[in-house]
Amino acid sequence: MTDTVTVKLHVEEKPDIIYRTKVIITPEIITFIYKLDSTGPVDGIWPVRAEVYGRFRLARPGRWNFNNPARKTQWFYQAWPEHWPTWLIELGAEHRPHQP
């Protein structure tokens, strides 16, 4: 089992994220999970996972789902780089822990 480091950031004024054309998330808290034994970024992405928490709404107008909470956490995985917005990749690179 590899060791991990978690970095939690409270963010303001970050752009909305449209995740897989299904939901729109306005980020409030972003948590990055990094592997300590990582040798480098995978597809330019340093964190193994990013958890974006914030207000959410459905991306398609006219679709209502009252069972969903007003806020949610959306996970972004290193294995699927196509779902990561560019600014999230850059933020993850800025805050990665440095190893001795």
Side-chain angles (χ1 to χ4, degrees):
M1 179 102 190
T2 61
D3 291 328
T4 60
V5 172
T6 302
V7 177
K8 183 178 276 192
L9 306 170
H10 293 268
V11 296
E12 294 179 10
E13 300 180 11
K14 290 294 182 186
D16 287 349
I17 297 172
I18 300 174
Y19 182 73
R20 298 179 64 189
T21 68
K22 295 180 180 180
V23 296
I24 300 171
I25 303 165
T26 303
E28 295 173 3
I29 300 171
I30 298 176
T31 306
F32 293 110
I33 293 89
Y34 300 90
K35 277 201 234 176
L36 286 180
D37 61 355
S38 176
T39 57
V42 175
D43 294 318
I45 301 172
W46 281 96
V48 176
R49 184 175 77 224
E51 300 171 2
V52 178
Y53 172 82
R55 290 188 160 290
F56 115 100
R57 62 192 181 278
L58 296 176
R60 298 190 309 196
R63 299 285 306 225
W64 298 98
N65 187 347
F66 295 103
N67 295 325
N68 286 328
R71 287 179 166 75
K72 73 177 280 185
T73 301
Q74 185 64 56
W75 291 10
F76 294 83
Y77 293 97
Q78 192 178 44
W80 293 288
E82 64 274 9
H83 300 306
W84 290 64
T86 304
W87 68 264
L88 189 61
I89 294 171
E90 292 169 356
L91 191 66
E94 287 175 24
H95 292 282
R96 71 183 177 94
H98 295 285
Q99 299 175 23

